[in-house]
């Protein structure tokens, strides 16, 4: 739960910085893409907590709470860009790198260890294809 909460900070930063780029469609595409991938993240948090005996309502509230940090990350991204427009490419690069690091270091190895039926690779590839489609059509 803590890992998901912490990685939502750079996600929020990416959305905030994308909106500050001057192209609203880039901001909306980034927000939509991140919003879509937050659904399974929240479900994973709720499922993990339910195995600990938490009630359904507490699991849902905890999953929602992990995403509440994203607006703070968005505000951080906006503040960085407002301070210096030269920071825009650096902030976008930081956000992208942080999210890729979390996926490569935590999520992919975690799914490889814990999956019981089949492989997580098709879901990963489907998510990548959806994000590329959104990037091309909305970006």
């Amino acid at each position: 739960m803590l890992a998901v909460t912490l990685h939502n900070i750079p996600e929020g930063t990416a959305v905030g910085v994308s909106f500050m780029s001057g192209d609203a469609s880039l901001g909306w595409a980034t927000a939509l893409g991140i919003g879509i991938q937050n659904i399974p993240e929240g479900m994973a948090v709720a499922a993990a907590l339910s195995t600990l005996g938490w009630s359904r309502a507490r699991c849902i509230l905890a999953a929602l709470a992990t995403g509440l940090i994203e607006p703070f990350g968005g505000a951080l991204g906006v503040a960085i860009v407002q301070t210096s427009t030269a920071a825009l490419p650096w902030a976008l690069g930081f956000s992208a790198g942080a999210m890729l690091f979390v996926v490569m270091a935590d999520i992919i190895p975690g799914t490889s260890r814990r999956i019981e039926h089949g492989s997580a690779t098709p879901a990963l590839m489907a998510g990548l294809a959806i994000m590329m489609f959104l990037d091309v059509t909305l970006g």
Side-chain angles (χ1 to χ4, degrees):
M1 188 170 138
L2 180 62
V4 171
T5 302
L6 288 177
H7 107 269
N8 281 336
I9 296 170
E11 285 183 355
T13 304
V15 173
V17 169
S18 296
F19 273 107
M20 293 301 290
S21 71
D23 182 5
S25 65
L26 176 63
W28 286 112
T30 305
L32 179 63
I34 288 176
I36 289 171
Q37 66 89 32
N38 279 344
I39 295 169
E41 278 180 3
M43 292 172 65
V45 168
L49 295 176
S50 71
T51 63
L52 299 174
W54 287 35
S55 70
R56 182 175 287 180
R58 283 185 68 198
C59 290
I60 291 170
L61 289 174
L64 289 172
T66 62
L68 290 177
I69 195 75
E70 279 196 32
F72 295 106
L76 174 66
V78 168
I80 289 170
V81 174
Q82 285 181 336
T83 302
S84 170
T85 22
L88 178 63
W90 292 96
L92 284 171
F94 168 77
S95 298
M99 287 186 279
L100 286 173
F101 174 78
V102 169
V103 169
M104 297 298 293
D106 188 42
I107 295 174
I108 291 174
T111 58
S112 297
R113 281 191 306 271
R114 296 185 191 115
I115 196 132
E116 295 176 11
H117 305 288
S119 171
T121 304
L124 180 66
M125 293 294 102
L128 178 62
I130 291 169
M131 289 302 295
M132 292 305 293
F133 172 77
L134 290 172
D135 182 51
V136 170
T137 58
L138 297 178

